[in-house]
Amino acid sequence: MHPQLYPAPPSTSPAAPPQTQGWVPDVYSPTFVSEYQRSINTIPATPVRALPPPQVDFVRFIEHFAGRGFLTPLPPPPPLTEPIYGNPANGADGMHMGSGNVRRPEESSKKTTSSAPGTPELQKPSKEEFQLGPSNYGAHFSNLIFTEISTEDQIIQGYNLYTVPVIPQDLTQHMFQVFIPGIRENTPFVQLGDMVKLRQIRPSPMHYPGVFTGYEYEAYVYGMDKAMGYLVLKADGLWIEIGGRFNVIFGVQEQRWDGARRAVADVGAVLSAQSQNETLVSTQTPDETASGTKSTFLRRMLFPEESDGIMQHGLARGIFGRNWIDKELNYEQQKAVDSILKQNYGNVPYLISGPPGTGKTKTIVEAVLQLIYAPRAPHHHILLCAPSQEAADTLAIRLTKHLLPSALLRLQTSTRTFSEVPAKLMAYSYIEGDMFSIPAWKALMRFRVIVCSCRDASILVEARCTNRDLGYWEKHVVDSLRGIADNSSEFVERGEFVRLHWTALLLDEAAQGIEPEVAIPLSVIAPPEEVSDDTPIVVMAGDQKQLGPNIVTKGDLRISAFERLFARPIYSKHPLRRELYTDNGMKNTRGHIEELSADRKAKLLPYLYPPFTNLVRNYRSHSAILAVPSAFFYNDTLIPEAKGTHRLEKWTGWKGTTGIPVKFILNSGHDESYEEAISFYNLREVQIAVKAVQSLLSPGSWPTGKDGEKIKMGPIQQNEIAVMSPFREQVKRLRKAMSTPPCKGVNIGPIEAYQGSEFRFVIICTTRARERFLKNDAEKGAGLIFEHRRANVALTRAKEGLVVIGNPWILEKDPLWTEWMSFAWRHDAVEFDLTGNFSTSKAVTSRSEPESNKENQDPKATAAISSVCTTANTYASVIQAGSSKPVNEWKPRGGDLKLSSLVSRLEDALVFKSKARKGAVFGRKAGWDEDDPMFLAGIAAEEEVRREVVDEGDEPGYGLGNGV
């Protein structure tokens, strides 16, 4: 009997134990799907094929410029086969595949990862035994790709839908709509051109289970609307019976990995052959091997050694004498571009480490333009890539200010829709028919810069327009004209060497891409070293401390090529690396040292010319916003250079120390799940965020003008505010709650969408309030807790003001958030939640909110909040499952205002500035030792306060002087 529906009668015995609590349903459990419904997906069916989306005709393209005698279309990528050992990075055993195809979950679930008693386990090398090198590069990354595809296939088929309706959209074009729960969270992750399968279930009378029609329809994704949560499918031959419903079957899209698998195989084969040749020539003299296989291009790009660098014996003058196109470049940016042009560091990748707001994309754009205008014959032809389409669009848009469509091409995949591309780039893209395509060969060769995503660089590979293909083709044609046979020893020895077409590869946001993706453009520019002695330039810019590759496995594939290269001795052991700027960042916060001076650098000589640049000047954020990220992620090296970042300091919503535009608002509300615990929302958090935005936009929340007259509007507009959350369901509810004035127009979205963006004011909604979901978050890589790279992105988007809303008992489990909350506590920037348990019917007003805000609240905005809180079809909790302690009882462990607990030198400067405001004097007569590293910080703070007083006299009420 069910303990709640049929409770046991009370016992009459006085010794009977107390009755236990009755059964309570778990609203977070997944929806029940019967075994019959699942079995329909495994029944043999008659396939109904569909016409795939149109693609580029590479056969015709190659024949047009090379004929059939010298270059032919590439064969298909190597088959997807079982790895010879499990992934050494995460210990996952290799899954047995059949005929090179990934098994369905129903099939693979019959095998378990643990072996039966007495069965020997598949042997795999341990971390200590395994070391990535040229000889195993191809096999290693092929195994990682195999594991990623296998894991992705299991995960994505877990999102299969059962007995759902399919809605006709345009029957003449065979277009249909299907609602997909979780698509807003990219669960499942679906792209245009992907194939899903539909199995129709015919309804049966008398409430019996439906009957499978016996047909499996292929359907291709031709459109999607993530905001509404549906896909547009093209399914040729699909006829929907009256009352018919469908099982929707997802599967891994192997064609997405074709370019990466081919690149890994090609690069791995070259590296392996070179590694074997090294053994054969190991007995030769250094002079003999200097031009041999040991110093080959791909080995130097992927496994650079200290011996590949060039020794520096004297300090440079620091004067570059170049005509800079961007006149605002700082010293570090100019030094990076100058080094790239001179290549004085050797033939190795040049890495640009660019924390948030330091201008790494600006540096890359300047490097591209300088290379284009450099006096060189032949001219540079540059391949400019980024892991994502959005980042590639940003690069192209910046270059459109300087280059005409005849010099710049934005190369697009044919599966990208016109609506996804910024209007400004349409003139720089090649369109054939109704899709993006590749220009004719002669036109393609004339472009000075081609911008594309790393994956889309495979278009050039399939078009046989790589340096190796073009070089060998040119050599074959010229030698054939001279009568030299291809298979003779004279082929390499005679004739002139060819010049490379692609002379430089620059990668922006390189830390966001997986290494197999980076291998694609690298295979495009890799030279045919047997017939050319040219060496292309390779530059990577990125930040390995921000969001990295978006993948499902947790092994070595998460380590980008940028991060792996920076860990190699030629970079990591260099005396000018970022780690030497300070003593281990957080580990020894009081061991601050100044940047390496010229005298200290001279004492370190000789050393290798640094094949990297550390960008340190932040042009985005207030120093209070930078304090924790700088210390936690960047060894306390960031220097705030942004001007006007204190313009929002006089908002009455701030608490505590003057000049600290940071606030932590405690949230007593609970997170709830939506769509079978795929996504989450927090109603109390929505209300707190709306109140904060309303206060920001209310004139009553800002100081009065001259003579006490009221101002008509605050100094910030809706489009200058961003509200972000790691969960799309919370984003959806925030958007609905702020869909009416005065909040309408505020930027609201997931954190991933804002990497690379900046706003004057940012509100971070952490959403998570129950500990029971932390494990689920960790498995999926979701949320902001223990996801430091996502948290770093969120914390570094704001320029002038930052508000974080969260449950401190949950956040303090993460050391990053512990440090950040302690920072807020030390400066009295914590706002308590006076409402206690959240009630949707109760108006909530923070204790620091001025009365004028209540008068200016829009009734429509209040109604929008209420509608969000009462939206139907949600899974509201029936019990306070996983409730934490009252949030207002929280305080940091050992956190105080003592200098010994300060996070970084930026916080030191803030404290000194606060003291200067109170009249403190920092000169030698005040007892300060000029050798004390804090002496100059105190003097600077005093001078800054004096400047602000003057500025505030010019602009009363807003203090528009320079920030800290």
Side-chain angles (χ1 to χ4, degrees), residues 522-541:
L522 197 59
S523 68
V524 173
I525 59 107
E529 294 177 278
E530 296 86 352
V531 298
S532 176
D533 55 4
D534 289 351
T535 301
I537 299 171
V538 175
V539 180
M540 299 185 188

Side-chain angles (χ1 to χ4, degrees), residues 30 112 169 212 228 259 334 359 453 718 763 877 917 930 947:
T112 59
Q169 175 174 294
F212 175 42
M228 300 302 296
Q334 291 180 357
S453 69
Q718 287 88 342
I763 299 175
S877 173
R917 283 195 176 102
E930 60 181 304
R947 284 196 298 271

Side-chain angles (χ1 to χ4, degrees), residues 699 702-711 956-958:
W702 299 92
T704 57
K706 293 181 179 179
D707 301 325
E709 62 176 287
K710 292 186 177 181
I711 60 175
Y958 295 103

Side-chain angles (χ1 to χ4, degrees), residues 754-957:
Y754 291 126
Q755 180 153 321
S757 303
E758 59 183 35
F759 299 89
R760 291 185 65 194
F761 197 98
V762 169
I763 299 175
I764 301 174
C765 298
T766 60
T767 306
R768 179 63 67 229
R770 301 181 197 262
E771 185 175 353
R772 66 171 294 181
F773 297 123
L774 293 181
K775 182 179 179 181
N776 180 68
D777 288 349
E779 292 174 351
K780 294 183 177 181
L784 284 170
I785 302 171
F786 300 115
E787 289 293 323
H788 289 172
R789 298 187 180 191
R790 184 178 291 112
N792 186 24
V793 171
L795 290 171
T796 54
R797 300 306 97 194
K799 299 168 66 176
E800 303 171 39
L802 174 65
V803 168
V804 175
I805 307 171
N807 185 307
W809 299 112
I810 302 300
L811 291 175
E812 75 169 2
K813 299 181 183 300
D814 185 334
L816 168 61
W817 287 108
T818 297
E819 293 294 343
W820 191 90
M821 293 188 298
S822 297
F823 171 86
W825 181 276
R826 285 194 296 273
H827 297 280
D828 195 24
V830 178
E831 183 174 293
F832 293 96
D833 190 345
L834 302 182
T835 64
N837 291 331
F838 171 55
S839 172
T840 59
S841 61
K842 182 178 180 180
V844 180
T845 305
S846 64
R847 65 179 182 178
S848 62
E849 181 182 8
E851 291 294 326
S852 58
N853 287 349
K854 302 177 184 178
E855 300 173 1
N856 291 283
Q857 288 175 4
D858 192 330
K860 293 183 179 179
T862 305
I865 300 175
S866 300
S867 67
V868 170
C869 297
T870 56
T871 299
N873 197 27
T874 62
Y875 290 81
S877 173
V878 296
I879 56 173
Q880 297 294 329
S883 298
S884 60
K885 293 179 284 186
V887 295
N888 292 340
E889 295 181 4
W890 174 84
K891 65 178 181 179
R893 296 186 293 266
D896 51 38
L897 290 175
K898 294 180 180 179
L899 287 177
S900 61
S901 66
L902 299 187
V903 165
S904 68
R905 56 182 177 173
L906 294 182
E907 188 174 2
D908 287 335
L910 290 168
V911 171
F912 278 108
K913 186 174 180 181
S914 176
K915 290 183 177 182
R917 283 195 176 102
K918 297 176 183 178
V921 180
F922 299 99
R924 287 187 292 272
K925 295 181 180 179
W928 290 88
D929 183 358
E930 60 181 304
D931 293 330
D932 190 322
M934 293 295 99
F935 173 77
L936 293 178
I939 294 294
E942 186 177 9
E943 294 174 351
E944 178 64 27
V945 170
R946 290 175 181 172
R947 284 196 298 271
E948 285 187 358
V949 171
V950 175
D951 292 334
E952 289 179 4
D954 296 334
E955 296 288 340

Side-chain angles (χ1 to χ4, degrees), residues 394-445:
T394 299
L395 290 167
I397 289 174
R398 295 199 183 189
L399 288 172
T400 57
K401 301 176 183 178
H402 308 278
L403 300 177
L404 297 174
S406 58
L408 171 65
L409 172 66
R410 174 65 175 96
L411 186 61
Q412 313 267 12
T413 176
S414 60
T415 60
R416 202 177 187 201
T417 63
F418 294 162
S419 61
E420 295 178 89
V421 180
K424 194 171 186 179
L425 294 181
M426 294 299 289
Y428 291 83
S429 305
Y430 183 77
I431 301 173
E432 189 175 273
D434 58 352
M435 70 176 189
F436 292 112
S437 187
I438 184 172
W441 182 77
K442 286 185 178 180
L444 183 70
M445 294 293 103

